[in-house]
Structure formats: structure tokens, C-alpha cells
Amino acid sequence: MLYGRHDEVTTLSGLLDGARQGRGGAALVEGEPGIGKSALLEEATRDAAQNGFQVLTAQGVRGASEVGFSGLHALLLPVLDRLSALPDRQRRAIETVFGTADGQPPEPLILQIAVLSLVEEAAATAPVLLTVEDLHWVDPSSAEAIAFLAPRLGAVGAALLATARTDQALAAAAFDTRVLLRPLCAEDAHRLVTERRPDATAAQRDRIVHESVGNPLALTELSVSTTPVLAARPARRLPMTRRLEQTFLADVTALDDRTRRALLVAAAGEDAGPGELSAALARSGLSPADLTPAERAGLGRLGSGFAFRHPLVSSSVYDSADAETRRAAHRALADVVRDEGRAAQHLAAATVGWDDDVAARLDESARRADARGARTEASAAWEAAAALTEAPGVAARRLAAAAETARQAGDVERALALSRRARPSAVDEATVLQLETTEWMLSQTVVVPDARSADGLVDVAVSMSDPEARLELLVFAAVRWYILQDAAPVAERIGDELARSATPDQALREIGLGLVQPGRGLDVDTALEAFRGPLRPVDGILLNCLAFAAEEARDLVAAERVWTAAEHAYHAAGRTGDEATALCGRASVRLLLGDVTGGMADASQAMHLSDQMGLGIVGAMAAAVVARARALRGEYDLHRELVTAAELRGGVPLFARVSATLSWARGIAAAGEGRDLDAVAEIEQTAANAPIALWAGADLAEPALRSGRPEAVSDWIAAAEAEADRSGSDHLRMLVLRSRALLADGPDAEGLFEQALAHASSADASVDVARTHLLYGEWLRRSRRILRAREHLRESVPVFRGQGLEPLLARASAELRAAGESDSAADCRDAASVLTPQELQISRLAATGLSNKAIADQVYLSHRTVGAHLHRAFAKLGISRRTQLPVVLENR
């Protein structure tokens, strides 16, 4: 019976009721050891089993967290026969991490979505209860997948219940429902003691309740304890965990030596299978029969293995043994455990001092974990291997590997600490390059204390004898210089060293030179050749910088090509974080090129991926791009929601590029709502980021004129004109001439508009070209040159309609009517105006003939979620069949 837990039982019952109705959820039961977490979980499990749930279970085990994905494998094992129902990429991700198939280690997001898809598949036939006991001891890779699952069961017939010691579970924050178990009240405590020990005197019951401080396990153990000192000794002020361990230890001490030794082997090998435990006992001169007295004493249950009654029993057994006895137990387990990784961990626990053989086995274990994507566990194994390695250079190499895998796992502080530990002993060039690469990549996303300057990276580069390593470090230096806009002499030094670099890799050199010598032009085709093969970890940053260099050269078409090549490469390699960055970068460029719906779809997908992976800055930038697109489309309420979303994701202070993009978006919205002074002020704020301000300034002339502040445009015109001269950008030249035309008096405007449109044919910017036609058409109509006005107005209308730009479309249509011509397609609404960006993206993919599973792999959703999006899209578009999508999307 669960005393004093009525509210908690009701909470978990409600969660199960929701799962039965297809509204799943997750709860974490927290509390100190012995507080009743397991009992509450058992109650919920019984309830679920009696109501037709399929129950999936996993148990965290102390000391077993070094084996990556072991907890997740135990949890999903009963439903792995449903893997064939998953999209290919998701199926391969699960097979790879569980070691049933070879393949590249999947990115965490792909695996996590695969886990969600598998749970959805299982829940399609019966509700599912997933239970994870002692989440704080589950391996980190599994805990990460469980944390992803916890908040995403709302539309799934599944409930997730986990237990953890208070504030010890890394995944605790992911649970919307957290049930904190507190000590029992005095009344419930007395009832429990009376039930367990009816013959106790009132004084004894009071003493037990006092010492147990409301802890149910302590109440139970002290009630039945045969320890005679309870009635005589004063209350101890030890922590409850230690008091309980001492209680269990008293029972252990009463056992014979063979049983205590057998218990130690069982405690050291809680992750061992039944055959392994028997073999380890035999290696120690013992047998499973030696555990029988412990079972009779109530310390555990002997079955397929030995299940300790409570984790505190095993910890008291293990912690009370001397170091040599513990090492002997681990040696016996290492000899018989079949899994190489677990065997290596037992060997390490049995080793004192350097041991290169054990270090080599740990090194190999780390490689296997890394190959399956268990990067946190791989990093820990490499660090342990380094500690057992005698040669400093080899130890440094292993620490460097530990640092890099920690970086890939997202553990920035640990990665930096490991890198700094390795640096003094790094002697071979490969290790030095690895350490420099790890710290350089960390410095792209976080502030790294004492990070090497661009000049410092050149110093390291010129010390390298390997030309490929030298070139790679020189390109790192070029990227560092470009991002920090360092001193010109440093750029000259990097350029000179790159020019002297003797290597056939022209593509990589082209990237470096393009960054430090932007005036020389950029050969994008040559540079992209560097990324034709398998991607290296550094290639994400290099590709992004290549795209930025193309943007810096004002070659937006080339920039879109680079972002697209990057997105395709990242998606194929399963590098979802890099893919989110590429989608966000392409979204910005697509908006500049006039593909507003495509840019909005890219940015929305980037938001989706960023939110899943916790990429705050990328998510903020993506939200800012969508905010600008919504403002262009006249969807001002949605625009404001996206501005808030960007600010929440970006933190304080906002990244300059995010802040400037948001100012631009707010300026467009203010102009559309007739708040011209606000629009001018907002667009002037884009100066926080010069590349954004360069393009945003084109939206300044109209509100500046309407608000009587034409002088506000002059500085932008001067800067943009100089940049157009430097870069030769027809797009930028058109925008400058258009702004001059708006500011001009009388007939001068016509010539400026004509010059602007002369550059339009080479501008690759459909919306800006259409807007120039609109502005010229308005000027011509006001000048009573109606026929010519109609020509230009007609040019603008289809572009505005195709991109769903309602404010500009309404303005162009009104001008056409004023010029005596009606807009025959005025009532036609495009698909982008009725579908969400994700629905539109999925509908477009479905229109190409892709199955739901193939679409799911493309957009990082489960195939059932894809089906739900299509169902809603069909209803909004007024269709009932997939084959109707191409026609409907084309017509709209």
C-alpha cells in the first residue's frame, strides 16, 4: 500500500488516461533514495498493464553509464520488430547505434526522431507506457534521446514515466510534469511502522519515525531491522542515504565471507547478464549458490541474475569493500563479460598505474562507441585510456580525441579542459592539428579564453611540415580574420602564405584567398570542389564562410548555390545542425533574390531544426527572416509573433545580424501600417550589421519621403553606390538608382527609373525588379502617361501575387484600376497564403511524388506527422487526393 501518495497516484493515472485517448505525456518522479519512487512507478505499471498498455522498461544501473545507448536498447527492445515501418534514414540510425548494422554515426536529432517514430508505430496498435527507473544512472546518449521524447508525446498514445534522485537527472528539465516525493507525514509514518512492526512499543514506534524522517524505505528497514542498538542509541544526524546504507550494511556484515564476496561481484557487475555473473563468480572461486543466504536475508532476489532489493544495498556492499577486493571482482568480470566496451571498463577499474594494454582496449572501445554515435561515452573512454597511457605523446593523442568527441557531444567546457590538458604533451603534427581544429571550431560558436588569433594560427601553420595541414591551418586563420575583421597586414600575411602553399588542393586555397582578398573575385565552382567527397567536421564552417564570401562579393546567385550545395551535403551526411545553418543562410539570400515563399519555407525549417537541437542563435536568425517575410506579405500579427520568437531565442544581447534583420522587419511592417517615422527609425537601426544595412536601406526612401525626412536616405545612397561600384552588382545599382529616382524632382526621375530598369535584366531579384516597375508605373500615372504606366504595373502584379505580397499586390492592382485596367486574377489566392510554411513544404514534396516516409526523412519528422500535415493541407486547399497537389500548387 502507498501511504500518503494519493495526489501523486492521481497525477500518474491522469497521464495514463491521456495516453489511452491519444494524448500522451511524460512525468519525472523525483526524490531522495528510499522515498518511494520505485513503488509509485510499480503502481502505475500495474495500472497500465491491466488496461491493455504495452509496457517498455529500462533500468539505470550504477557504473553502467559508460556503455552508450544501452538504456535505450533495453527500453525499445520489445518493439524493434517494427523498425521496417520507419523511413530508411531513421531505421538506419537506430540500427547503427544498436550495432546491428554498419553505417555513419547518426546525428542525435535523426536518432531522436527515429525513436519518436518507433514509439508512434508501437502506439498505433495499443497504448504504450515507457518506464525508466533511475534515470540519473542511464547512459548519457540514451538519456538525451529520452529527454527528446519526453515533451513530444502530446499527439501520441504513449506515456513516459521516469524516476530520478532529486536534481541528479541530466534530462529532468525536459519533463513538463515533475512529481517531487516528499517525506511522509507523521500520521502516515506511524501507520506504516505499525503495519511493518505491530509488536513495537509506542516508544519504539516514535523512535523509528523520528530517525526515518518520513522516508518510507527507512521506516520499513528500521521497523524490521534485527540490529539491537536501535532502542538504545541516540538519533544519528547522518544524511538519509548514508543511514540507509549503514542499515543494509549491518545485514550484509552478518553474512558469511563467501556470500559477502559473491555480493561484491554482483554489485560490481550489476550490468552483467546471468551467464556472465555465474562465470565471474566461478572465476572468483564462488557460485550462484553463495548468494542464497543474501536472498534469505532479503537483500535481493536470485533469478536470472541477482537483483538487489534497492540500489543502496549494492552501493553499501561495493563502497564498504577494500580497494583490492573491488579490483579482484572487476578482474573476474573483465575476463567473462562479452561486450568489449564493458570488459574494457572493468579492466580499467581493476588497474592501478599505467597499463598500455588496458589503455589500448579502452581506445578501441572508444572508437566503437564513436562509430555508433555514442560520443559522450567515447570521450570518457578516451580520457580513461589517456590516464593509463605511459607515453606522453600517445596520451595527448587520446586526450585530443576525447576533446573532439566532447565537442561533438556539445560539452564545450569539458572539450576545452581536455584540449588544454593535452596541449603541453602534443608532439606529433596530427595531434597538434586535431587540437587546433577542435579549439578553432569551438571558437566559432562560443567565447574561448585565449583562443589563437589569426596571426597565431599562421605561426602554427608555418611550423607544419605537412603541406595539407599547413593549408588547413592557413584557411582557419583566414576564417578567423574574416569573422573578426582583423588588421589588414594580417590578411596580407595569410594571403602570401596561401599563395606559397605547395598543395594540389586549389579549392581550399580559393576559399582562404576569397576571404582575405575579396577584391580578387571568387571562383565558386573551384571552391565547391573541396566538398565533393565525404565532409570533414571543419567543412561546415568553411562552406558557410564561402557562402558569406559570395554574399560579401554581392553575388547572391553564387551565394544561393553555395548554401544549396551546403544544405544538400549536410542533409546527405546527416549533419542537422549544419543543415539548419545552411537553410537559414539560404533563406536570407532567397528573400533578397525575390523568392519570398521559398525563403520563408527554408527559414521555418531552420527554426524547426534549431528548436529541436537548442541552436539559439540560428533559431533567432531564422525567426527574424520569417518575421521579415511576414511583414512583406502584410501579415503583421504573425510578423510580431516572429519578432518575439526571435528575441526569445536569441537572448540578450542579440547577435548583431539578428538585431539588424529584426529592425529591417519592423521597418517594413511600420511602413506597411502607415507609421513612416517608425519605419525610418527602425531601418536606421540596421546599421548594427553593415551587410544587412546595405540591403535594408533600399526600403528607406519611401517612408523617408512620406515623413518629410528625405535626408535620411543620403548616407545610404552614398555607401550603396560605392559598394555597387566596387562589386559591380546590378541589383545594388538598380536599388540605388530607384532611390535616387524617388528623391528626384520633375523629369530627372524618369531617366533614373529607366537607368534602374536597365540594370534589372541582370539583377536576379524578381521582387525588387517588380517593385521598381510599380514605383515607375505610379510615377508615370501621376504624370498622366497612362499607357506606359499600365505596362510597368502589369509587370509587377504577377510577381507580387506569386509571392503572396498582399500590400504590394493591392497597391499595384489599385494603380492598374486607376489607370483604367482591371486585375483579372484579383481573387486568386496562392497556396502560401492558406498553408503554414511546413504544410507548404510538405505539400510541395508530396507533389513531386515522394512518399510520406521519404518526406519524413527530408524534413526531420515522423511519417505519421507528415501524414497529419498533408491531411490539414488537403482540407485547406479543398482537395481529397495526392494527385491533385501539382495542379493546385501550380495554379495558386
Side-chain angles (χ1 to χ4, degrees):
M1 180 176 179
L2 291 174
Y3 288 102
R5 302 300 187 207
H6 177 268
D7 291 345
E8 291 85 351
V9 170
T10 301
T11 297
L12 299 193
S13 295
L15 202 65
L16 294 177
D17 288 341
R20 270 193 293 268
Q21 300 167 32
R23 296 178 287 100
L28 179 68
V29 181
E30 298 176 278
E32 66 178 1
I35 202 66
K37 302 184 295 293
S38 297
L40 191 61
L41 195 63
E42 288 171 6
E43 179 77 13
T45 301
R46 280 194 298 270
D47 183 4
Q50 290 168 3
N51 285 279
F53 277 71
Q54 179 174 8
V55 180
L56 309 178
T57 64
Q59 168 79 56
V61 177
R62 190 182 75 150
S65 61
E66 296 90 352
V67 183
F69 299 112
S70 57
L72 190 64
H73 184 265
L75 186 66
L76 299 180
L77 184 60
V79 294
L80 289 182
D81 59 343
R82 299 174 183 264
L83 274 180
S84 59
L86 269 57
D88 287 345
R89 173 183 282 209
Q90 296 177 22
R91 174 183 51 76
R92 289 196 304 270
I94 290 180
E95 289 174 343
T96 299
V97 301
F98 290 166
T100 57
D102 294 329
Q104 289 295 315
E107 280 283 306
L109 179 60
I110 298 174
L111 172 66
Q112 290 156 5
I113 291 172
V115 171
L116 177 59
S117 295
L118 189 58
V119 173
E120 286 183 354
E121 281 300 321
T125 54
V128 174
L129 172 64
L130 304 103
T131 69
V132 183
E133 191 157 7
D134 292 327
L135 180 59
H136 50 282
W137 282 332
V138 169
D139 62 276
S141 294
S142 295
E144 188 176 355
I146 291 165
F148 178 89
L149 193 63
R152 292 173 174 82
L153 296 174
V156 183
L160 168 62
L161 303 181
T163 66
R165 293 186 181 179
T166 307
D167 299 327
Q168 287 193 20
L170 297 177
F175 289 79
D176 291 333
T177 301
R178 296 174 69 174
V179 179
L180 178 60
L181 295 187
R182 302 184 184 281
L184 298 180
C185 66
E187 180 182 354
D188 286 328
H190 273 94
R191 288 169 60 203
L192 178 57
V193 173
T194 301
E195 179 187 290
R196 292 289 189 271
R197 192 170 174 181
D199 60 338
T201 65
Q204 287 175 324
R205 286 197 296 270
D206 287 344
R207 183 62 178 278
I208 292 170
V209 169
H210 177 69
E211 287 207 13
S212 300
V213 198
N215 184 288
L217 181 62
L219 288 162
T220 300
E221 292 304 317
L222 294 179
S223 295
V224 301
S225 175
T226 58
T227 306
V229 294
L230 175 62
R233 61 184 171 86
R236 302 286 299 278
R237 293 303 176 192
L238 292 173
M240 179 55 64
T241 299
R242 189 72 185 121
R243 282 194 242 175
L244 285 168
E245 284 183 329
Q246 286 190 347
T247 300
F248 289 129
L249 189 58
D251 293 334
V252 172
T253 304
L255 299 171
D256 62 74
D257 178 66
R258 289 181 64 84
T259 299
R260 291 199 302 272
R261 287 168 52 210
L263 277 173
L264 177 59
V265 174
E270 280 194 88
D271 59 336
E276 293 171 338
L277 177 59
S278 295
L281 288 170
R283 292 266 177 168
S284 305
L286 303 165
S287 76
D290 290 308
L291 289 167
T292 300
E295 184 178 32
R296 291 181 184 143
L299 296 174
R301 186 177 63 258
L302 185 60
S304 57
F306 188 82
F308 284 94
R309 177 181 173 186
H310 192 276
L312 290 179
V313 180
S314 63
S315 63
S316 66
V317 169
Y318 189 85
D319 293 341
S320 64
D322 63 82
E324 181 52 42
T325 306
R326 286 201 297 264
R327 284 194 289 270
H330 282 294
R331 277 193 295 270
L333 286 160
D335 287 342
V336 301
V337 167
R338 294 174 182 174
D339 180 82
E340 289 292 333
R342 289 165 47 229
Q345 295 294 338
H346 282 299
L347 268 180
T351 301
V352 179
W354 291 321
D355 190 317
D356 287 333
D357 289 338
V358 176
R361 290 186 65 172
L362 283 169
D363 186 291
E364 183 57 34
S365 173
R367 293 179 192 279
R368 283 194 299 271
D370 189 40
R372 293 188 295 111
R375 295 185 175 92
T376 299
E377 294 80 4
S379 179
W382 264 313
E383 183 181 13
L388 298 176
T389 303
E390 181 174 8
V394 179
R397 173 172 59 77
R398 288 168 172 159
L399 283 174
E404 174 57 18
T405 45
R407 183 197 68 79
Q408 293 176 16
D411 194 341
V412 173
E413 291 186 5
R414 186 165 176 274
L416 275 175
L418 288 165
S419 177
R420 298 298 165 86
R421 280 172 54 193
R423 192 177 291 283
S425 301
V427 289
D428 63 281
E429 290 190 354
T431 302
V432 172
L433 179 61
Q434 177 65 80
L435 291 170
E436 295 293 343
T437 300
T438 296
E439 290 202 18
W440 178 79
M441 292 188 71
L442 286 168
S443 71
Q444 306 306 305
T445 54
V446 298
V447 176
V448 175
D450 305 321
R452 284 199 200 278
S453 64
D455 213 25
L457 283 167
V458 177
D459 290 339
V460 178
V462 298
S463 72
M464 291 282 183
S465 61
D466 179 4
E468 292 185 0
R470 186 185 310 121
L471 175 61
E472 193 163 331
L473 286 168
L474 287 172
V475 174
F476 291 174
V479 172
R480 178 66 52 79
W481 180 89
Y482 175 77
I483 290 173
L484 300 179
Q485 292 295 290
D486 212 337
V490 178
E492 293 174 8
R493 184 186 179 202
I494 295 170
D496 290 344
E497 292 295 342
L498 283 168
R500 283 196 291 268
S501 182
T503 172
D505 193 344
Q506 295 294 326
L508 202 56
R509 182 190 289 127
E510 181 67 24
I511 294 171
L513 290 173
L515 292 170
V516 296
Q517 299 174 357
R520 69 187 287 276
L522 187 65
D523 186 346
V524 168
D525 290 327
T526 298
L528 284 175
E529 286 297 323
F531 309 102
R532 298 301 182 197
L535 291 180
R536 301 163 298 173
V538 299
D539 285 346
I541 295 170
L542 295 179
L543 264 172
N544 296 349
C545 286
L546 177 60
F548 284 131
E551 291 182 33
E552 189 76 16
R554 314 307 166 207
D555 190 346
L556 298 180
V557 174
E560 185 189 29
R561 284 175 51 216
V562 176
W563 285 124
T564 298
E567 189 272 332
H568 289 167
Y570 299 149
H571 186 80
R575 291 171 54 164
T576 44
D578 288 329
E579 185 176 352
T581 301
L583 284 166
C584 185
R586 188 173 67 181
S588 297
V589 172
R590 282 184 164 173
L591 256 64
L592 288 172
L593 289 172
D595 184 5
V596 177
T597 56
M600 190 161 61
D602 277 349
S604 297
Q605 177 69 351
M607 282 180 66
H608 167 65
L609 294 178
S610 299
D611 288 348
Q612 306 296 342
M613 304 184 71
L615 304 175
I617 292 176
V618 177
M621 186 64 205
V625 173
V626 181
R628 184 159 78 87
R630 294 295 187 189
L632 285 168
R633 292 166 61 90
E635 298 163 346
Y636 301 125
D637 288 340
L638 290 173
H639 149 80
R640 279 182 275 275
E641 289 178 12
L642 268 299
V643 169
T644 301
E647 291 170 341
L648 289 173
R649 286 168 171 81
V652 180
L654 280 174
F655 195 60
R657 191 175 179 91
V658 176
S659 176
T661 302
L662 286 176
S663 293
W664 189 2
R666 284 191 291 258
I668 294 169
E673 293 176 324
R675 297 180 288 108
D676 291 320
L677 281 174
D678 290 343
V680 172
E682 289 288 359
I683 293 173
E684 286 178 333
Q685 291 299 311
T686 63
N689 183 266
I692 297 297
L694 179 68
W695 297 105
D699 288 322
L700 192 56
E702 289 183 80
L705 279 171
R706 290 194 296 262
S707 61
R709 288 198 57 206
E711 74 283 356
V713 193
S714 57
D715 287 345
W716 175 81
I717 287 178
E721 192 164 38
E723 183 59 25
D725 290 340
R726 182 194 71 80
S727 64
S729 168
D730 286 300
H731 186 177
L732 199 53
R733 177 67 67 188
M734 177 188 70
L735 297 177
V736 170
L737 290 165
R738 186 180 81 191
S739 295
R740 286 191 179 280
L742 289 169
L743 297 175
D745 290 326
D748 290 346
E750 182 174 8
L752 290 167
F753 273 125
E754 290 289 347
Q755 290 179 56
L757 288 172
H759 290 276
S761 61
S762 304
D764 289 307
S766 58
V767 169
D768 277 331
V769 170
R771 192 168 168 188
T772 304
H773 279 294
L774 168 62
L775 292 167
Y776 190 20
E778 288 177 331
W779 185 88
L780 288 168
R781 191 189 65 78
R782 289 195 300 271
S783 301
R784 300 185 182 282
R785 297 162 67 179
I786 303 301
L787 292 179
R788 289 199 61 202
R790 289 176 184 171
E791 294 174 9
H792 290 284
L793 293 170
R794 285 193 212 105
E795 288 285 335
S796 69
V797 167
V799 176
F800 298 150
R801 177 172 293 113
Q803 296 300 324
L805 308 181
E806 291 297 330
L808 291 172
L809 177 59
R811 186 169 151 188
S813 297
E815 286 288 334
L816 265 179
R817 288 193 299 273
E821 184 174 313
S822 63
D823 179 7
S824 59
D827 295 329
C828 182
R829 297 184 68 198
D830 68 310
S833 67
V834 297
L835 302 180
T836 68
Q838 195 161 59
E839 288 168 353
L840 180 61
Q841 180 189 25
I842 289 171
S843 296
R844 285 175 168 169
L845 291 170
T848 67
L850 290 179
S851 67
N852 285 6
K853 288 184 180 181
I855 295 171
D857 270 346
Q858 187 72 24
V859 300
Y860 298 96
L861 295 170
S862 72
H863 70 93
R864 292 182 180 275
T865 303
V866 167
H869 279 298
L870 282 174
H871 179 75
R872 288 191 292 270
F874 283 11
K876 292 178 181 180
L877 295 173
I879 62 176
S880 59
R881 296 190 307 277
R882 206 180 190 97
T883 53
Q884 294 173 282
L885 278 172
V887 175
V888 171
L889 293 177
E890 182 180 357
N891 290 342
R892 298 195 184 197

